[in-house]
Amino acid sequence: MSKNLEVGGEGNFSNFEDLLKYYKVASSQLPKGISYKKQGKYLYLQFVFPGESSRLPHKPDYGFSYEGLIKAKENAFRIAEKLDTLSSVTEFNEWYDKEILGKNEVIDDRITYRQIFEKIEQKYWNGKNKNTKKNRTDTGLSEQASFDNVYGYVFKRFTDWDKQPTWDDIKSVLFSWEQGTKSFKDSYTVIKKIVSYCPNADKMVALLSEIDYKQTKFRENQSISLDQFLEWHDKALDDCLPHYLETRQSWLWVAAMCVVYGLRPSEIAAAKNLTKPYTKDGITIPAISNPDNKELLLVLGDMTYFGTTIKTGGRVCKSMCLDKKLLERLDIQKPKLPEYKPNKDSKPISIVQGFSNRFRDYMVDWKCPVTQSYAFRHLSNQLGEKYGIPQEIRARSLGHSVAVNESTYKKRSNFQTSVDLLTNHSKQPLSLDMAIQQLESVGFDLDDPSVNAILKVIYQLY
């Protein structure tokens, strides 16, 4: 034991007996329920620790010295105050470890690209499909393909997944796409999500925010008029060799269905009533092939016949064409669905895109004026407008919102079709009130039974 221990700046302990006297005085000043516990040269505080039943000495060892007694006394009052405001044993344990024992737990916040990718993937599969609002499943071919299409292609650009993220890596991967393109914009969104999992996320996001990710380079959106489509359709049939005719007829029938119903190419493979009627909730919709079917409603299920889901889920589609002669010319009521058998060992994205890719290949081989199959879908929307089908009905049939129909689809309108819409506007159906006025103005007798019968049929006045 050292001699001449300093007492608060004045006076000295000349021997061990003086230290024992101070020990007794300090003991009497401790808060209720807490006492010193001297064990040789060691000094502890003794109290009932939350969660225990007995008063026991608890670490740390303060050391039997003047400084130790003072430090222990200070902590005794801190402990007593915490015990009085105790809300849980766990809370007290954490506080005691940090404030009394001085344990500064160092959290290992290191994370690798692989760990980040796993977190993103787990969150993806725990979510819902943004179009159908159904829970995602990692066994679904379309959802696997969608994940690869959104995240997988970005993840693959990182060469070492077991490395911790660095800004140089992040920037290098991002700029592996051309700035200003859609790919750059889409990848930026994924990379921003990646850096949000980094320990220095704030710094990374700040660096990303300095990069202009807006799309400035767009590919040309193709369009086709009805006349151009019919000319190509007829020529493709006429130029076909006999032993290829059946294949060509089936894929041209798909093209016609895209124009008439506004389908995405692979959606026709989810049709439920091509050759058989479809019944649900007591309502039966006739088969498309039924010659007595006048409404020609097409029912799409959620799944194609080759096991993939369609983009916006099952729906009922209305024909955007009301011209009976045109429907007959395109053999709409003579279904010829192509047979597509993907290799089961192929990657999900290859299976999902296979039908549409084959369709596009045929468009190119048969010298279609456009190579973007979506041009047929947009033509369909304009045909529906030409035939007076309300936009709400067109949007529902096409499988998207009115807002999308108003913005995206009108941007791709074909010039010739737009001119036809404007110049033929007078041929659009009249409202009932206006039709009555027009009939009266030209001398028709509205009390005539035949006139009444015609109005009832046209305006469904039953």
Side-chain angles (χ1 to χ4, degrees), residues 430-445:
L430 300 175
S431 67
L432 175 59
D433 290 340
M434 188 172 289
I436 291 173
Q437 292 176 18
Q438 290 287 342
L439 290 171
E440 287 180 329
S441 68
V442 294
F444 279 94
D445 180 5

Side-chain angles (χ1 to χ4, degrees), residues 9 35 43 47 67 70 94 97 109-110 181 229 331 379 393 396 407 414 425 442-444:
S35 62
L43 178 71
F47 59 95
E67 292 86 350
I70 295 296
E94 291 176 352
D97 285 346
D109 58 358
R110 292 174 299 176
T181 62
F229 173 78
D331 284 336
L379 170 59
I393 301 300
R396 177 175 293 188
S407 57
N414 178 262
H425 69 280
V442 294
F444 279 94

